[in-house]
Amino acid sequence: KSSIRMEKKESSKLNTKAIIGIVVGVLFSALVQQLFFKTPSFDKVMMNAANEINKTCPLMVDKETRLDNAIALPENKFQYNYTLVNFEKEALNIEEVKGKIEPNIVNIVKTNPQMKIMRDNSTTVVYNYKDKNGVFLFEVAVTPDKYKAD
């Protein structure tokens, strides 16, 4: 009888050690995976995208519009900064210009395949415009409710 009890004690000690070993192993492998194989955060993805865009800037989009740069901002915002190269603020009807540009911008964010990652991550995409002298004109902020509607 006593030899059976000793075998059971030894067996339960082994089982406890095995379970502790397995738990420690799983935790260790999860930690290693987090440290070394972690997928980049979306903030980093946006910062990398801005850096890639900025390598091509300034970039004339059309004869009136220049893309100056892009910025990844806090709170899941991504901003494009444009200059209307042939206009001064005083010569523009800003509400009229914004009214013509905004529907096109919203459509681009809604439908452009390159914007899918922004849509999938509910990013607010901001388009900032200034005149040829660097004077702020207007901003178009395309929030998720604008491109996820319909």
Side-chain angles (χ1 to χ4, degrees), residues 11-146:
S11 173
S12 75
K13 282 183 183 177
L14 284 174
N15 286 340
T16 304
K17 286 181 181 178
I19 291 170
I20 290 172
I22 291 169
V23 170
V24 169
V26 168
L27 290 174
F28 180 74
S29 67
L31 179 65
V32 167
Q33 188 169 359
Q34 280 293 316
L35 291 175
F36 297 106
F37 304 108
K38 186 169 89 172
T39 55
S41 71
F42 188 61
D43 287 343
K44 285 187 179 179
V45 170
M46 289 200 316
M47 287 176 13
N48 289 337
N51 288 336
E52 288 302 311
I53 291 167
N54 291 338
K55 288 178 184 177
T56 66
C57 291
L59 175 70
M60 289 303 294
V61 177
D62 57 39
K63 65 182 182 168
E64 309 293 344
T65 314
R66 180 183 69 220
L67 174 61
D68 298 318
N69 60 36
I71 307 168
L73 297 170
E75 298 179 14
N76 198 18
K77 290 183 183 175
F78 193 86
Q79 180 172 304
Y80 295 97
N81 294 310
Y82 289 95
T83 298
L84 298 178
V85 296
N86 297 314
F87 298 98
E88 290 183 331
K89 184 175 184 173
E90 297 75 28
L92 290 173
N93 178 334
I94 293 171
E95 289 304 313
E96 183 179 326
V97 173
K98 183 178 178 182
K100 287 181 180 178
I101 291 175
E102 188 166 10
N104 294 329
I105 289 172
V106 171
N107 188 53
I108 288 168
V109 175
K110 265 185 169 181
T111 62
N112 187 313
Q114 294 176 329
M115 295 293 214
K116 184 179 184 328
I117 192 166
M118 303 286 196
R119 294 188 300 267
D120 289 349
N121 287 279
S122 299
T123 303
T124 295
V125 186
V126 179
Y127 293 77
N128 208 8
Y129 287 86
K130 57 187 177 182
D131 76 359
K132 70 180 187 177
N133 300 316
V135 176
F136 175 78
L137 296 172
F138 60 90
E139 173 183 288
V140 175
V142 185
T143 55
D145 61 300
K146 290 183 181 175

